[in-house]
Amino acid sequence: MKNYKFLIEYDGSRYYGWQRQPEQTTIQGKLESVLGVLCGKETEVIGAGRTDAGVHARGMTANAYLDTDCTPEEIRDYLNRYLPDDIAVREVREASPRFHARYNAIGKTYRYTCHAGEVRPVFDRKYYWALDERPDVKLMLQAAELLRGEHDFRNFCVNPRMKKSTVRVVDRIEINCEGGYLYFTFHGTGFLQNMVRIMVGTLLEVGCGRMTPQQVKEVLECPDRKKAGPTAPPQGLCLMSVDYD
């Protein structure tokens, strides 16, 4: 039995997130189903993280221990032959026996896409949040600078009963405009549940004049989740890559 590392992309529109759940269609569930047939027994696929329902990925990393004589290329081709067309395995390669996609990850990059142009693009509609107004990017960049660094992000987590540490390091936040699109890029050591989407919602509150940059700092320091902005909808979020040593 060997350990294999997978690089996966998927359109999460019709899935109930990454994590396998009873009676729900998930990315992990689809992968395990196909690999189970390939190996002739139940197979667990370990993902680098748990994307929520409706969230996409261009660079999800996973690993699985497989009992098969197939080459990595044959495993990749088998998966792509039998997976639905909104999931693709870009790469399969043999990994060290101790490689763990989640525990060995040292950083992740997420991108959130909004559209604030006058005419909403039809064919990208499943991959952005359509805004009713153009936010002020300069104000959002000021607020983003306050979010950057090591902070307790408990108010940027949807789970109020989080028992583990909510301290995270966000070392890069970029906000770029291209045509009518607005891209938020976040890189950090790890992210809490809905953390990126809440940060986007908060930054947009600043950009639209409903919060000040100073209030973002206060959100980090106060214990009330309601002080942060709304949770941005899932369709604009995409996991771009996962970092390893």
Side-chain angles (χ1 to χ4, degrees):
M1 184 173 288
K2 296 179 180 178
N3 190 17
Y4 291 90
K5 181 180 180 181
F6 303 84
L7 184 61
I8 305 159
E9 63 181 22
Y10 52 84
D11 177 338
S13 300
R14 69 185 188 95
Y15 294 96
Y16 205 75
W18 165 270
Q19 187 178 11
R20 177 197 333 107
Q21 298 184 52
E23 310 300 325
Q24 300 289 354
T25 303
T26 68
I27 307 296
Q28 183 185 27
K30 287 292 185 183
L31 289 163
E32 290 179 346
S33 177
V34 176
L35 286 173
V37 174
L38 173 67
C39 298
K41 60 181 179 181
E42 283 190 16
T43 302
E44 180 184 12
V45 176
I46 301 165
R50 301 173 180 177
T51 53
D52 295 326
V55 173
H56 317 292
R58 289 183 178 273
M60 169 65 85
T61 300
N63 75 286
Y65 292 89
L66 306 180
D67 186 4
T68 177
D69 294 326
C70 294
T71 66
E73 291 76 17
E74 289 171 337
I75 296 170
R76 179 201 62 199
D77 293 346
Y78 185 90
L79 283 164
N80 288 331
R81 185 178 304 121
Y82 293 107
L83 284 169
D85 60 8
D86 49 7
I87 305 174
V89 178
R90 293 167 51 187
E91 180 183 283
V92 178
R93 59 189 177 92
E94 191 174 334
S96 70
R98 300 186 66 178
F99 174 75
H100 192 287
R102 180 156 55 95
Y103 295 150
N104 292 147
I106 60 173
K108 295 176 184 175
T109 300
Y110 281 92
R111 184 176 70 188
Y112 195 94
T113 303
C114 297
H115 188 269
E118 294 179 357
V119 180
R120 298 176 182 179
V122 172
F123 296 106
D124 290 342
R125 66 189 182 280
K126 294 191 294 183
Y127 311 109
Y128 65 79
W129 181 15
L131 305 178
D132 294 328
E133 57 186 307
R134 284 183 176 271
D136 187 318
V137 175
K138 290 183 178 179
L139 284 175
M140 290 194 293
L141 287 171
Q142 291 177 31
E145 190 61 27
L146 298 173
L147 292 174
R148 200 165 61 83
E150 182 176 338
H151 302 288
D152 186 342
F153 285 96
R154 64 191 182 279
N155 290 337
F156 292 83
C157 177
V158 74
N159 183 359
R161 298 179 181 178
M162 184 80 171
K163 295 181 179 179
K164 297 181 181 180
S165 173
T166 50
V167 174
R168 295 292 186 273
V169 176
V170 179
D171 54 22
R172 180 164 59 93
I173 303 176
E174 298 176 358
I175 306 174
N176 298 299
C177 297
E178 294 181 20
Y181 289 97
L182 184 63
Y183 299 104
F184 296 82
T185 303
F186 301 85
H187 180 272
T189 55
F191 296 88
L192 303 168
Q193 186 178 6
N194 284 7
M195 178 174 159
V196 174
R197 291 164 57 191
I198 295 171
M199 286 195 292
V200 169
T202 302
L203 291 172
L204 286 170
E205 288 291 284
V206 173
C208 294
R210 292 185 286 270
M211 290 179 66
T212 66
Q214 181 61 32
Q215 284 177 294
V216 172
K217 183 178 180 181
E218 294 171 4
V219 171
L220 285 169
E221 297 171 348
C222 81
D224 188 359
R225 158 68 183 97
K226 294 179 181 178
K227 296 289 185 181
T231 304
Q235 74 271 11
L237 185 59
C238 184
L239 172 62
M240 303 300 289
S241 62
V242 183
D243 305 331
Y244 297 91
D245 284 330

